[in-house]
Amino acid sequence: MFNKILIVCTGNICRSPLAEALFNMHVPSLQVRSAGIVVTENDLDGYHAEPNAIAVASAHGLDISQHYAKQITAADVKENDLILTMSQNHASQLAYSFSGAKAKTLLIGQWINVGHVRDPLGKSVNEFEECYTTLEKAVLSWKNRL
């Protein structure tokens, strides 16, 4: 049984905050949080969500305007039952960087045959809308399995 889920993308300012908000809307019984996997001295820890992500979320009745980026830690890996990533590359990075991550990491889009949720960072609001649509389909596919 999964009670605590962590959603992971690269910087935690676009895809994972959207997915977190979607899970909280569609499966409110779960504890869902998000984090980024950027591991450089210039990581995005503490940054606001991307303005286009905020706008698209708002257009769908979700508020991520108070979201601040958080980078994943070993404690995050340990305390969550399931980790959902946007790509196989993210899953591989987690497995390499954190003990125990591989056994609990899956792709967010696996049930809708999406192996990679494209990163809309730096792209048009239409790209953010497409990302949102993909993530909503993915979240709904997980809802039926959790």
Side-chain angles (χ1 to χ4, degrees), residues 4 10 13 34 38 56 78 90 92 95 101 103 131 135:
K4 295 177 83 177
T10 304
I13 59 171
S34 62
V38 174
V56 167
K78 184 176 181 178
H90 292 136
S92 297
C131 179
L135 288 171

Side-chain angles (χ1 to χ4, degrees), residues 1-31:
M1 180 58 125
F2 302 115
N3 295 312
K4 295 177 83 177
I5 297 176
L6 184 67
I7 313 294
V8 176
C9 71
T10 304
N12 191 225
I13 59 171
C14 296
R15 294 172 289 177
S16 57
L18 287 171
E20 177 183 3
L22 282 161
F23 263 105
N24 287 330
M25 178 176 68
H26 289 297
V27 196
S29 60
L30 297 175
Q31 292 180 11

